[in-house]
Amino acid sequence: MSDRSLPLAMKEADLSRALPPAAREVWTVFRHELKHLFFSARMAVPMIVYSGFGALSVLIFLKIQDFAEKRGLHPTKLGADSEALGKLLQSFKLGGVGTAAEILRDHVPMLMLYFFVLASFFLPILVALVSFDQFSDLSTRGARFALLRVRRETYFAGKSLASLASVAGFLFAMWLVVTVVAVHRASPEDVTIALREGARGWLLMCVQALPYLALTALVSSFAKPGLAFVGTFGLWIVLWLADFFTRWLPEALQAPARAIFPSEHIAPLLSRWSPTLWSGVGALVAIAAVVYVLTALFVRVRDV
Amino acid sequence: MSELAIETTGLKRSFGAFPALRGIDLRVPAGSVFGLVGPNGAGKTTTFSILCGFLHPTEGAAKVLGHDPRDRAALSGKLGALPQDAPLPTRMSAFDALCYWGELSGLSRVDAKNDAVRWLDRVGLQEHARKKGPQLSHGMAKRVALAQAFLGDPRLVLLDEPTSGLDPKTAHEIKQIIKREAGTRTVVVSSHDLAQIEELCDSVAILDKGSVVQQGTLGDVTGRGELVRLHLADDEADQATAALSALAFVTHAAFDRAERTLEARVQGAPPEEAVPAILKAALQAGARVVGVTRGQRLEERVLELT
């Protein structure tokens, strides 16, 4: 074999040898899956679409801000009225006057608030495009080569983490750009706030992605890629419709019924560092955990 | 009793109402090259899939190298397999995929790379190492799949239809690889190519309709110790038939006119004594012998039993 065609197997640090076998299996699956998922053409499409759309909408937002500024409305003043901002958030089911007051109190850049709301809205689509076929290889028999060698649980964990890391990596890149723009436009005393809000926005969007990643894992563990694609988007539509129709349930049942929908827990994430925020985070993590456990159990017992 | 690499007891598996396996009792001696044969739907691939831990049996038990086939922790690195019709990854090159599987088999990164290089070389795919699954031809993909089965030198290798759909040259090359690798480990080969099984294997199990209809050494199954066939140039052999019948250790002698074959069933004499005596008797009776074979061909035996 020529040296040019293949890398030489040079001596290299392989710290994973020190890990316990199960952790080593998870790490190996994670590393290889991430490498070939994140840098694949498959990832490029949703990334270009999502980031292109995100960039375009941010530009439009900035133009509107600039326009308003020229008309004598300072950007920060756009949101200076917590009542107006509260009503706006309420119309998107993202909190109310209380949340708006917190946001204004903490000088959250409006650009970042806007991007968080917009990106949250389209996040399920990004997750579906990136990971709709996470476990479809169980149905195509493609997973047999790996499952001959590792436990199903570790394979499941490794691949799930790789999907999460892919989405997290992509969101990080997007939030980095938004943060740089926000820092560039911020007054010197607000730079720290912009940086903190960038990190917070990224982390909370990763949490938001969790239940959707878990649901794509569940759907894909049943179906081949084509069906998993249709099934995932079908599930998103069903969730959206089901959430919508809960308004006709008796008053007492509405809150518990809505609790199972991930989208219901985005509003608390806009709240500042308060119990409301943590309740939203907890709910999203809990939904993800339940779905992941169910999927793992199914993967464990199913034929491949 | 010799050590067993595989042992199944009353293995059953149904798909809906269809019973694919109706109670398979299989015993594969360690170190053997074992053939699994039978017609389509006999249950070969289902048996393979259970032994690899891909399918769960409905009833019965299987032991692979002394462990439950689903016990990956115990079998990782010890069991290799070429699953039938499993597609190669679309996003990884052949080399990357082999490195990945090597690491999953318990090899260090360096060893996995070295093993991948070694095996790509052995299966003649050095020039195609950077190609991804969809870019490889059927034959190339089969070679990659064969290479992965031997990564990390597993003690037991299961090969499901290793040469199906391949051109004769590629099939021959793969057969040579299997021959080379056998002997240092237990190899189980499932195939419709019975001549190939005869050439490669020392033991065999014949499956039909989800059951084992016969298993044992190739000699036992094809009756090599009990049947001697003389291929004649004549279409008459009455005298030779009578001469063979007169031998003490021949229980039955008959001439197949269409095949020009004189068959002698032997009992109580080792082949090294029976074959020369039968040949001598036939020649003395005037038969013009053009060939001698022992036992049935595996194909005949399979056709007889299934």
Side-chain angles (χ1 to χ4, degrees):
Chain A
M1 187 170 298
S2 71
D3 289 348
R4 204 158 44 85
S5 63
L6 290 175
L8 285 172
M10 302 296 286
K11 290 280 179 198
E12 57 184 84
D14 191 355
L15 299 175
S16 65
R17 303 293 292 172
L19 294 171
R24 186 166 174 262
E25 287 176 11
V26 173
W27 169 245
T28 307
V29 174
F30 168 78
R31 194 164 48 82
H32 282 269
E33 287 290 333
L34 182 63
K35 180 181 164 191
H36 293 99
L37 177 63
F38 200 72
F39 297 104
S40 68
R42 190 16 232 297
M43 274 292 282
V45 177
M47 282 186 175
I48 290 168
V49 172
Y50 194 76
S51 55
F53 185 72
L56 187 67
S57 54
V58 163
L59 281 174
I60 292 169
F61 179 85
L62 293 175
K63 283 285 173 199
I64 293 171
Q65 242 187 0
D66 290 344
F67 178 76
E69 205 172 347
K70 279 178 192 166
R71 293 289 175 107
L73 290 164
H74 192 272
T76 49
K77 295 227 169 55
L78 279 175
D81 184 348
S82 62
E83 204 169 317
L85 182 63
K87 279 181 183 168
L88 188 67
L89 291 175
Q90 209 165 21
S91 66
F92 286 103
K93 289 170 66 182
L94 291 172
V97 179
T99 311
E102 287 178 38
I103 289 168
L104 293 172
R105 183 198 64 207
D106 285 2
H107 298 275
V108 176
M110 286 299 114
L111 168 68
M112 296 182 118
L113 174 68
Y114 166 78
F115 185 74
F116 185 84
V117 172
L118 182 86
S120 296
F121 190 73
F122 290 103
L123 184 65
I125 297 171
L126 172 76
V127 171
L129 288 172
V130 169
S131 62
F132 70 89
D133 61 349
Q134 276 183 84
F135 293 103
S136 290
D137 57 356
L138 298 171
S139 301
T140 61
R141 296 180 173 181
R144 286 185 163 194
F145 295 113
L147 290 179
L148 186 70
R149 297 168 162 90
V150 294
R151 284 160 267 218
R152 294 187 185 200
E153 295 84 352
T154 54
Y155 183 72
F156 177 77
K159 285 199 81 167
S160 298
L161 286 172
S163 288
L164 173 61
S166 296
V167 171
F170 176 57
L171 290 173
F172 180 80
M174 291 198 68
W175 274 97
L176 189 66
V177 173
V178 172
T179 305
V180 167
V181 174
V183 165
H184 178 68
R185 295 174 68 92
S187 55
E189 63 270 23
D190 285 345
V191 166
T192 317
I193 295 171
L195 290 172
R196 186 193 68 204
E197 288 304 311
R200 178 192 148 107
W202 171 64
L203 281 171
L204 290 178
M205 286 207 71
C206 290
V207 173
Q208 268 190 70
L210 277 174
Y212 294 106
L213 280 162
L215 287 166
T216 55
L218 179 66
V219 173
S220 65
S221 67
F222 282 93
K224 290 182 180 177
L227 192 58
F229 185 82
V230 174
T232 302
F233 280 96
L235 179 63
W236 285 184
I237 292 168
V238 167
L239 284 175
W240 182 73
L241 287 174
D243 191 10
F244 179 77
F245 284 115
T246 51
R247 69 179 61 179
W248 283 288
L249 284 174
E251 196 78 32
L253 293 177
Q254 281 189 20
R258 284 183 173 155
I260 62 166
F261 300 113
S263 56
E264 285 296 317
H265 304 287
I266 296 173
L269 303 188
L270 287 177
S271 183
R272 308 313 295 164
W273 309 101
S274 67
T276 314
L277 168 71
W278 296 117
S279 73
V281 170
L284 289 166
V285 171
I287 293 170
V290 169
V291 179
Y292 268 130
V293 167
L294 286 175
T295 312
L297 288 173
F298 177 64
V299 169
R300 187 182 159 84
V301 298
R302 67 157 288 170
D303 292 334
V304 295
Chain B
M1 193 177 67
S2 65
E3 193 193 340
L4 294 174
I6 295 173
E7 185 177 18
T8 71
T9 316
L11 207 59
K12 291 184 185 176
R13 171 68 205 222
S14 298
F15 295 103
F18 175 70
L21 301 184
R22 297 164 190 261
I24 297 274
D25 296 311
L26 206 60
R27 299 166 72 80
V28 178
S32 65
V33 183
F34 195 92
L36 209 54
V37 299
N40 287 333
K44 301 185 297 293
T45 296
T46 305
T47 306
F48 257 89
S49 300
I50 290 174
L51 295 175
C52 291
F54 303 143
L55 299 183
H56 302 288
T58 313
E59 268 183 57
K63 289 276 180 200
V64 174
L65 299 172
H67 301 281
D68 185 302
R70 284 163 290 181
D71 187 352
R72 288 297 99 179
L75 288 171
S76 184
K78 296 175 189 159
L79 172 67
L82 166 63
Q84 197 185 10
D85 300 333
L88 295 176
T90 52
R91 291 195 285 259
M92 288 185 205
S93 68
F95 176 72
D96 286 344
L98 290 175
C99 289
Y100 175 38
W101 296 323
E103 281 189 58
L104 292 184
S105 294
L107 299 177
S108 68
R109 278 195 221 178
V110 173
D111 289 343
K113 279 183 182 176
N114 285 336
D115 220 24
V117 170
R118 184 167 66 99
W119 270 102
L120 281 168
D121 193 35
R122 279 196 191 179
V123 298
L125 285 179
Q126 309 92 314
E127 302 304 316
H128 305 280
R130 289 293 172 202
K131 285 186 177 170
K132 294 179 179 173
Q135 297 167 317
L136 295 167
S137 69
H138 179 66
M140 288 176 188
K142 201 79 164 185
R143 287 175 194 225
V144 174
L146 185 76
Q148 67 76 37
F150 289 100
L151 285 175
D153 283 329
R155 281 168 54 197
L156 171 63
V157 177
L158 308 175
L159 306 171
D160 195 3
E161 301 284 358
T163 58
S164 72
L166 299 180
D167 62 79
K169 186 170 179 282
T170 312
H172 175 76
E173 285 167 4
I174 284 190
K175 208 160 59 184
Q176 296 309 311
I177 292 167
I178 298 170
K179 265 186 180 176
R180 264 204 316 268
E181 292 305 317
T184 56
R185 66 192 97 230
T186 311
V187 177
V188 181
V189 185
S190 146
S191 180
H192 284 298
D193 185 345
L194 299 178
Q196 181 189 87
I197 293 285
E198 269 188 298
E199 191 182 334
L200 291 173
C201 302
D202 44 49
S203 297
V204 69
I206 301 172
L207 269 63
D208 188 36
K209 298 187 182 77
S211 302
V212 176
V213 289
Q214 192 175 10
Q215 68 178 308
T217 64
L218 204 58
D220 290 342
V221 170
T222 57
R224 276 188 186 162
E226 300 154 6
L227 182 70
V228 177
R229 280 178 168 167
L230 302 180
H231 304 278
L232 307 184
D234 319 296
D235 49 14
E236 285 292 338
D238 292 347
Q239 283 185 12
T241 308
L244 263 53
S245 298
L247 293 170
F249 53 81
V250 173
T251 57
H252 176 74
F255 181 64
D256 182 336
R257 194 180 303 275
E259 296 284 327
R260 292 183 176 177
T261 305
L262 180 54
E263 267 186 17
R265 297 257 164 211
V266 175
Q267 201 172 41
E272 61 272 21
E273 287 176 21
V275 174
I278 287 170
L279 187 58
K280 188 177 170 189
L283 291 170
Q284 282 175 347
R288 290 186 296 156
V289 180
V290 293
V292 182
T293 53
R294 280 172 52 209
Q296 288 176 297
R297 286 186 4 252
L298 182 60
E299 185 183 4
E300 289 174 291
R301 189 65 184 144
V302 170
L303 289 173
E304 200 174 274
L305 290 171
T306 61

